[in-house]
Amino acid sequence: MTLTSKTSPATSPAPAASLAPSGGTNPVLKLVTRVLDWPMAGLQRLIGERRMPYVFLLPNLVFFGLFVFVPIAINFVYSVTGGPALFPSERPYVGAGQYSYLFDCGSYVDPNTCREDHFWRGVYNTLFFSFFQVVAMVGLSLLTAVVLNMKIRGRGFFRAVYFFPVLLSPVVVALIWKWILQRDGLLNAAIMGLGGDRTLFLAEPGWAMFWVIFVSVWAHMGFYTLILLAGLQAIPTDIYEAAEMDATPRWRVFWRLTLPLLWPNLIVVIVLSLIRAVQTFDEVFVLTGGGPGTSTLMVVQYIYETAFSNQVQNFGLAAAASVVLGIVLFALTLAQLAFTQRKSS
């Protein structure tokens, strides 16, 4: 009697009632909810209320697995097979042969001693590009965020201007800068108009790598500036007011207060920009095509050319290179998660 009197209808679990049709006054919607209610209520009685969220997640999980995990598995199958055949069933199993071919080097410092020297030139170019691009990206983004966080005239306008290149397609960005930097482009016209000599910005290896880094920083700096700007605006203002009352120099306030409090955002920016730098392809491919020679050839472009654009297509070698690149990106993602968890704790 006591248990019966303490159990009220409002608090007792009622799985079937939670799925009661509620279509409101719309007759069509009411009919749809009534039709869906019967199988969903039966399914809930069968698997229990706690497992019902997985039913609603199942369609997304199926599509995610179909378009992410299945291609990864197929790519791995290609990386352990050889031959020119397209279908996996017609390709002979070679084990780790493709990986052995990629890593067969007399000296990893000298790409000329490697059997697949283009892969290693792509690796070195990607490392060089990633280091200088990330350093320039983080430094300029931090400087821009600090300036845009000040009370300057036209602050909203300048925030929009710095973010605008992020909205452009990488191909559009590369075509614009190719028009500016080509032999008879806008920049050479300006230099010659001032009495200077024509410079082959995209035909000399040093200049080509410089402009590839410059264009990448210009195109993506706005996104990282936005992250750092949000971090700066989250710092409590009373800290700066206390430092101002103590007459602390500005450089000391930035170094001892702003930078430590902004460090979690800086870690996110560094890891995200590094992952993007390793994956770079479209801008460089349109701007220089990897040239002159192989001076701006990146790993992703090597994978694309090996699999699709070379006269002899080698799907297995390209798949092995993409697996190696995927492992590197996975390690960078784990590093980002570790730093994020440390930030949360």
Side-chain angles (χ1 to χ4, degrees):
M1 289 297 291
T2 307
L3 291 174
T4 306
S5 61
K6 286 184 177 180
T7 307
S8 67
T11 57
S12 61
S18 64
L19 295 173
S22 61
T25 57
N26 190 329
V28 177
L29 186 59
K30 196 171 182 178
L31 178 63
V32 172
T33 53
R34 281 183 179 279
V35 170
L36 291 177
D37 178 64
W38 180 79
M40 297 305 291
L43 184 62
Q44 180 171 305
R45 282 193 296 271
L46 181 65
I47 66 174
E49 187 178 1
R50 296 183 62 179
R51 296 187 179 91
M52 283 302 290
Y54 297 104
V55 175
F56 295 103
L57 287 175
L58 188 59
N60 287 336
L61 290 176
V62 169
F63 277 99
F64 190 77
L66 187 63
F67 292 104
V68 176
F69 290 114
V70 172
I72 291 176
I74 294 174
N75 186 76
F76 182 75
V77 170
Y78 271 87
S79 71
V80 294
T81 57
L86 178 62
F87 296 104
S89 58
E90 301 173 357
R91 299 174 59 82
Y93 176 75
V94 296
Q98 304 287 6
Y99 297 95
S100 300
Y101 185 80
L102 278 180
F103 287 92
D104 187 5
C105 285
S107 170
Y108 290 109
V109 181
D110 184 8
N112 292 325
T113 63
C114 300
R115 293 182 67 185
E116 189 60 13
D117 60 329
H118 277 205
F119 171 74
W120 287 99
R121 290 185 192 282
V123 170
Y124 292 131
N125 288 337
T126 303
L127 291 176
F128 184 89
F129 171 85
S130 300
F131 177 77
F132 286 101
Q133 193 253 19
V134 170
V135 170
M137 182 82 76
V138 175
L140 291 175
S141 298
L142 178 61
L143 178 63
T144 308
V146 170
V147 172
L148 293 179
N149 195 42
M150 296 178 178
K151 295 179 181 178
I152 58 175
R153 183 176 297 180
R155 185 170 60 175
F157 170 76
F158 286 112
R159 286 180 179 178
V161 166
Y162 277 100
F163 191 74
F164 180 73
V166 180
L167 304 177
L168 298 177
S169 163
V171 175
V172 173
V173 169
L175 289 175
I176 291 173
W177 280 99
K178 192 171 185 177
W179 174 67
I180 295 173
L181 299 172
Q182 62 188 351
R183 186 176 183 276
D184 297 321
L186 189 64
L187 186 56
N188 266 325
I191 292 174
M192 293 176 68
L194 295 173
D197 296 328
R198 190 193 309 271
T199 305
L200 302 178
F201 293 111
L202 301 179
E204 297 180 5
W207 276 115
M209 181 58 80
F210 168 80
W211 284 112
V212 162
I213 296 173
F214 178 88
V215 171
S216 179
V217 172
W218 178 85
H220 305 289
M221 191 182 73
F223 174 71
Y224 303 108
T225 300
L226 202 64
I227 296 176
L228 295 177
L229 187 59
L232 287 172
Q233 292 180 346
I235 298 175
T237 56
D238 54 349
I239 297 177
Y240 294 113
E241 292 171 359
E244 189 176 357
M245 291 177 64
D246 293 339
T248 308
R250 287 190 174 184
W251 68 268
R252 190 176 178 84
V253 171
F254 177 78
W255 187 255
R256 302 300 294 271
L257 292 178
T258 304
L259 210 53
L261 293 172
L262 194 63
W263 183 245
N265 297 73
L266 275 172
I267 291 296
V268 173
V269 167
I270 291 171
V271 176
L272 288 180
S273 59
L274 185 59
I275 291 175
R276 183 172 182 85
V278 173
Q279 292 178 305
T280 192
F281 168 65
D282 36 19
E283 290 165 356
V284 179
F285 184 70
V286 175
L287 189 62
T288 65
T294 57
S295 59
T296 58
L297 176 71
M298 304 296 169
V299 173
V300 179
Q301 183 178 343
Y302 164 80
I303 294 171
Y304 165 74
E305 292 181 346
T306 303
F308 302 111
S309 68
N310 284 350
Q311 189 172 7
V312 179
Q313 298 174 338
N314 193 333
F315 301 120
L317 195 61
S322 64
V323 169
V324 174
L325 180 63
I327 292 173
V328 173
L329 293 176
F330 184 68
L332 292 176
T333 305
L334 290 180
Q336 182 195 3
L337 290 175
F339 282 123
T340 305
Q341 289 179 352
R342 183 176 298 179
K343 174 188 172 185
S344 300
S345 61

